[in-house]
Amino acid sequence: MKVLYIDCGMGAAGDMLTAALLELIPDQEGFLRRINGLGIPGVTVEAEKKLKSGITGTQVSVKIDGEEEGEYDHGHAHDHEHDHEHEHCHSHDHEHSHHHSHESDHDHEHSHAHHHHHTGMSDIRRIVSGMDISEKVKGDILAVYNIIAEAESHVHSEPVEQIHFHEVGDKDAIADITAVCLLMDELCPDEVIASPVCTGSGHVHCAHGIMPVPAPATAHILRGVPSYSGKISSELCTPTGAALIKHFVNKYGEMPVMRTEAIGYGMGKKDFEAVNCVRAMIGEAEDRTDVVLELSANVDDMTAESVGFAMDRLFEGGALEVYTVPVGMKKSRPGILIRVMCREEDREKMVRLIFRHTTTIGVRETVTRRFVLDRHIEEVDTAYGKVRIKKSAGYGVSRLKCEYDDIAHIAHENEMSMAEAEKEVLKEL
């Protein structure tokens, strides 16, 4: 199984994610030509090698009409009632890449806000629809943008369709988001795992005043994502980076056991005591085995309803699997073998539940080793609504399965059979 691991211990920004993933592919120059040939008006994406803290990596810059917008994250939006104010939060640590003073940065942002148009989600959809890219990548780009727009909608209490982006800012963000979505499509990992995200600490200056790090939109996007502030006083995670992580990452945690094939370092523009980079690693994960317990009990004096109730309680208690087998017992009595699979750490709990909810007077234990496919659940948007898809891979095979409840709901609502509903959903994957 091909696994992509992303280390977000120094935050996550769109340009840094782009640079880290870019280092994982063999034809980096070809990719840059492709992204620059998509026709995003006035946008040029450039990459150069940088040495930071003794580590060589790639730094990506997005230029609009030949001008680089610096460290500001352009995923921030603002509502159209505040056209005269800039909403781009920037770090209050005076370490901007162009060494402007705080006042000159502020004036620079205001001057841009006065003469640039604003673009909403409908315009973003129009721009993306005109790109010469696959429908899958278009869907990923719009899904990431929707995450940002929904966060801004929540922060500003405005409907999503009324959220507008700075023209320069949205082009910058489109370039970063499109690049990451294209790179993810090219790398095509079976699973994406990320470390907890470091947001940075301190405060940022916004049009509405001084805000804590992470900025409000970033904090909203990171709900449900493991994150922490760290010791660096700067905005390390931007809304664009947070949205990309939220969209693509399947699970969070430590780097899995894997045979690493390529490593990429995406360098930020600021310098801190620790190296300012996102690291991405891709490789084959080791096929999984683990140890489980099988707890067995024979009963011959329980009703079917009581057995069903006991099975439900065992599943609620954390059993990996519970099943029954009809057996013949002494004195020719028909009976039921109840078998429970559980983790070693759940042994005591499972034994107690078996004794509590069945009539058995003894439980047998067998220690077994099982071979398992890695699995995770993804929620995808379809024409029929959201559907949870269970994906499994390992030992040279991969498969997917739609969650029963979601397919049953679609079949019922649309007067389809289960098979028809699943076929319609799978067409969109």
Side-chain angles (χ1 to χ4, degrees):
M1 180 175 69
K2 185 186 291 187
V3 173
L4 173 64
Y5 182 71
I6 303 174
D7 185 350
C8 302
M10 280 298 297
D15 58 343
M16 294 168 70
L17 285 167
T18 299
L21 298 179
L22 183 63
E23 287 208 333
L24 299 181
I25 65 172
D27 186 10
Q28 298 176 23
E29 291 299 324
F31 179 83
L32 291 173
R33 287 194 297 272
R34 183 183 180 192
I35 193 77
N36 287 324
L38 290 178
I40 306 174
V43 169
T44 304
V45 180
E46 299 178 355
E48 60 179 328
K49 293 295 182 182
K50 289 287 185 179
L51 181 66
K52 286 181 178 284
S53 301
I55 298 174
T56 301
T58 295
Q59 190 174 90
V60 165
S61 301
V62 177
K63 294 185 177 180
I64 315 296
D65 297 324
E67 181 181 356
E68 186 177 353
E69 286 302 295
E71 292 270 19
Y72 310 117
D73 177 75
H74 303 293
H76 293 272
H78 68 94
D79 82 48
H80 52 80
E81 294 180 357
H82 299 282
D83 285 354
H84 63 287
E85 297 180 75
H86 72 85
E87 288 280 280
H88 300 300
C89 296
H90 55 87
S91 192
H92 189 207
D93 60 5
H94 305 286
E95 291 185 0
H96 307 297
S97 61
H98 295 296
H99 305 290
H100 295 315
S101 71
H102 185 72
E103 289 185 5
S104 64
D105 276 332
H106 190 76
D107 294 339
H108 177 70
E109 292 274 340
H110 273 276
S111 67
H112 274 285
H114 280 299
H115 68 262
H116 283 294
H117 301 292
H118 298 86
T119 308
M121 279 302 300
S122 60
D123 301 298
I124 298 297
R125 285 190 283 269
R126 176 181 52 79
I127 293 169
V128 172
S129 67
M131 293 182 185
D132 183 19
I133 54 180
S134 70
E135 291 302 315
K136 177 184 179 301
V137 175
K138 288 179 182 179
D140 285 333
I141 295 169
L142 293 177
V144 172
Y145 245 110
N146 277 325
I147 292 172
I148 299 170
E150 287 172 3
E152 295 292 351
S153 171
H154 174 81
V155 170
H156 297 292
S157 298
E158 290 282 344
V160 168
E161 289 302 321
Q162 291 185 27
I163 292 296
H164 285 66
F165 301 88
H166 281 300
E167 182 186 38
V168 170
D170 77 58
K171 288 179 181 177
D172 194 339
I174 286 178
D176 286 334
I177 293 170
T178 300
V180 171
C181 291
L182 281 169
L183 286 162
M184 290 295 294
D185 187 59
E186 182 167 339
L187 292 166
C188 197
D190 297 306
E191 185 172 52
V192 182
I193 304 172
S195 71
V197 178
C198 183
T199 63
S201 62
H203 297 83
V204 291
H205 276 214
C206 295
H208 296 292
I210 298 175
M211 301 288 181
V213 171
T218 305
H220 185 82
I221 292 169
L222 290 177
R223 290 178 308 158
V225 175
S227 57
Y228 62 101
S229 62
K231 298 180 179 180
I232 294 175
S233 181
S234 184
E235 184 182 34
L236 301 181
C237 182
T238 64
T240 300
L244 286 163
I245 291 294
K246 188 75 172 280
H247 177 67
F248 283 111
V249 173
N250 304 125
K251 64 182 182 182
Y252 300 87
E254 297 180 354
M255 177 183 167
V257 177
M258 58 189 286
R259 294 182 293 275
T260 304
E261 297 170 358
I263 304 173
Y265 291 88
M267 299 302 188
K269 295 182 176 66
K270 296 181 181 181
D271 292 318
F272 305 113
E273 292 181 4
V275 60
N276 182 17
C277 74
V278 169
R279 182 168 66 174
M281 309 171 76
I282 195 163
E284 289 292 324
E286 295 287 344
D287 292 325
R288 285 182 54 195
T289 62
D290 62 7
V291 174
V292 295
L293 303 183
E294 287 187 351
L295 304 176
S296 302
N298 289 16
V299 297
D300 61 4
D301 55 353
M302 290 181 65
T303 65
E305 291 85 357
S306 296
V307 172
F309 182 84
M311 293 175 70
D312 289 341
R313 303 293 78 76
L314 288 161
F315 275 122
E316 289 175 0
L320 299 171
E321 184 62 272
V322 183
Y323 60 94
T324 62
V325 180
V327 293
M329 297 178 65
K330 58 188 176 182
K331 297 184 180 180
S332 300
R333 292 176 181 172
I336 298 173
L337 166 62
I338 301 174
R339 182 158 286 168
V340 180
M341 292 178 60
C342 69
R343 298 179 180 86
E344 288 185 283
E345 60 265 28
D346 293 330
R347 172 197 285 115
E348 184 69 22
K349 182 199 294 185
M350 291 297 111
V351 170
R352 288 180 178 276
L353 287 172
I354 291 170
F355 280 126
R356 181 178 182 183
H357 294 291
T358 76
T359 58
T360 190
I361 59 173
V363 176
R364 300 179 300 279
E365 176 188 273
T366 304
V367 179
T368 63
R369 183 176 298 278
R370 65 173 181 166
F371 301 88
V372 295
L373 300 181
D374 278 296
R375 76 289 302 264
H376 65 273
I377 293 178
E378 292 182 11
E379 190 174 75
V380 299
D381 291 311
T382 74
Y384 301 96
K386 292 185 181 296
V387 176
R388 289 166 295 169
I389 307 292
K390 181 182 288 184
K391 294 187 175 182
S392 306
Y395 296 95
V397 302
S398 61
R399 54 179 64 113
L400 57 83
K401 182 180 180 181
C402 302
E403 284 292 300
Y404 167 81
D405 290 342
D406 297 344
I407 295 298
H409 176 75
I410 291 172
H412 177 73
E413 291 292 317
N414 295 275
E415 298 184 352
M416 299 177 179
S417 69
M418 287 281 291
E420 289 170 334
E422 187 165 23
K423 183 178 180 181
E424 288 298 313
V425 168
L426 292 177
K427 282 181 182 177
E428 300 190 34
L429 299 182

